[in-house]
Amino acid sequence: MLIFSVFKTLTDQQVTVELKNDLSITGTLKSVDQFLNIRLDNIKVLDEARHPHMMAVKNCFIRGSVVRYVQLPPSGVDTQLLEDATRREHVSQAKR
């Protein structure tokens, strides 16, 4: 749930999503759910020559299971808060 929470704070920010089929899409993050399904608006494909069929697409829904990486804007991530949350989660799991 920690990663889901991080993504929720990035709504309306620019992200790049790399899919398992090597397609990379940059767009504005509009929504994300608990399965890490992602909705992007105003998308651009990074390798237009390999994926010309994507040129007409402006918005997309990406199933979480096909995502390889998500590149987040450095300014949008509070690393100190993320580190603290990770420590708390690790401690609570150790107590189980």
Side-chain angles (χ1 to χ4, degrees):
M1 291 309 270
L2 178 61
I3 298 300
F4 171 63
S5 299
V6 170
F7 278 108
K8 291 296 279 184
T9 66
L10 296 172
T11 302
D12 293 324
Q13 295 204 35
Q14 197 81 359
V15 298
T16 300
V17 180
E18 181 182 329
L19 306 182
K20 291 178 182 177
N21 68 355
D22 294 326
L23 173 62
S24 292
I25 303 170
T26 298
T28 305
L29 180 66
K30 294 314 278 181
S31 65
V32 62
D33 66 15
Q34 69 272 18
F35 302 106
L36 300 182
N37 296 320
I38 297 169
R39 193 181 109 211
L40 296 177
D41 283 352
N42 303 318
I43 69 166
K44 292 184 182 177
V45 176
L46 297 184
D47 189 356
E48 296 172 357
R50 274 186 68 199
H51 306 282
H53 58 283
M54 293 292 294
M55 297 302 302
V57 179
K58 298 297 176 205
N59 307 311
C60 68
F61 176 84
I62 303 169
R63 185 178 167 140
S65 64
V66 301
V67 174
R68 181 180 293 150
Y69 299 111
V70 178
Q71 297 175 18
L72 308 175
S75 61
V77 179
D78 184 345
T79 55
Q80 187 62 47
L81 183 65
L82 189 56
E83 287 173 7
D84 292 344
T86 304
R87 280 191 207 100
R88 282 193 302 272
E89 188 172 300
H90 179 69
V91 170
S92 68
Q93 288 177 355
K95 290 180 180 180
R96 290 182 191 171

